[in-house]
Amino acid sequence: NPAPRVSAMPPASVAFLDSLGVWAPLVEAGRIKPYDAMQIWEWGGNGFVHFDAHNHAKPEQSCLGTIVEHTALQSALFEKATALEAEGRLTRLMCPAQVKAMAFDDAGSPAQPAGPATLDLEIGGGGGASLGGARMHGDGAAVGAGAG
């Protein structure tokens, strides 16, 4: 059965997930569906916005984006993170974890992040940890991550 929660992923996000190696398993499992039109209505009003691939996509694109199930995407990302940890390419996988606070360097803000962020996490409903300067490269390798 399809999952009830989904995201509409633009082509750039699909390309990023593909570069991390998490998109192919979603395609193989049939948990995605390209879309070529979308209409969004105003809540409680008469306004709406309509997009279609013919008028709004780049010429080389056959669709506006791809719908992907949340649970399938989460599973694919978790499997990739677990594999990176096992390979020694991810410093530490902390799961489950909840972000308590996020701070950017002086040049950034949540609206316009300019660099790596420092995260304060609550791990497994208990203790805390701080993860600073974590960045992800397109090849799936986590660099500059340090847990404290």
Side-chain angles (χ1 to χ4, degrees), residues 94 96-101 118-124 126-131:
M94 295 175 277
Q98 182 174 7
V99 176
K100 295 191 309 184
T118 298
L119 302 176
D120 287 326
L121 306 173
E122 184 174 321
I123 301 174
S130 178
L131 182 65

Side-chain angles (χ1 to χ4, degrees), residues 27-144:
V27 173
E28 292 166 8
R31 307 321 283 183
I32 59 133
K33 185 73 174 171
Y35 65 93
D36 59 10
M38 180 178 287
Q39 186 161 313
I40 303 159
W41 291 267
E42 176 186 15
W43 178 263
N46 295 324
F48 68 91
V49 177
H50 179 84
F51 301 97
D52 63 66
H54 177 73
N55 293 315
H56 297 92
K58 293 180 181 179
E60 66 274 9
Q61 293 174 295
S62 61
C63 65
L64 283 177
T66 307
I67 301 292
V68 61
E69 297 175 6
H70 278 215
T71 53
L73 179 56
Q74 289 170 339
S75 293
L77 288 167
F78 184 76
E79 287 176 22
K80 181 64 175 183
T82 302
L84 289 172
E85 184 183 37
E87 295 168 8
R89 297 175 63 200
L90 183 65
T91 304
R92 182 174 159 198
L93 180 60
M94 295 175 277
C95 185
Q98 182 174 7
V99 176
K100 295 191 309 184
M102 178 172 31
F104 293 88
D105 62 18
D106 293 336
S109 72
Q112 294 289 326
T118 298
L119 302 176
D120 287 326
L121 306 173
E122 184 174 321
I123 301 174
S130 178
L131 182 65
R135 289 177 254 197
M136 184 70 85
H137 282 287
D139 67 358
V143 295

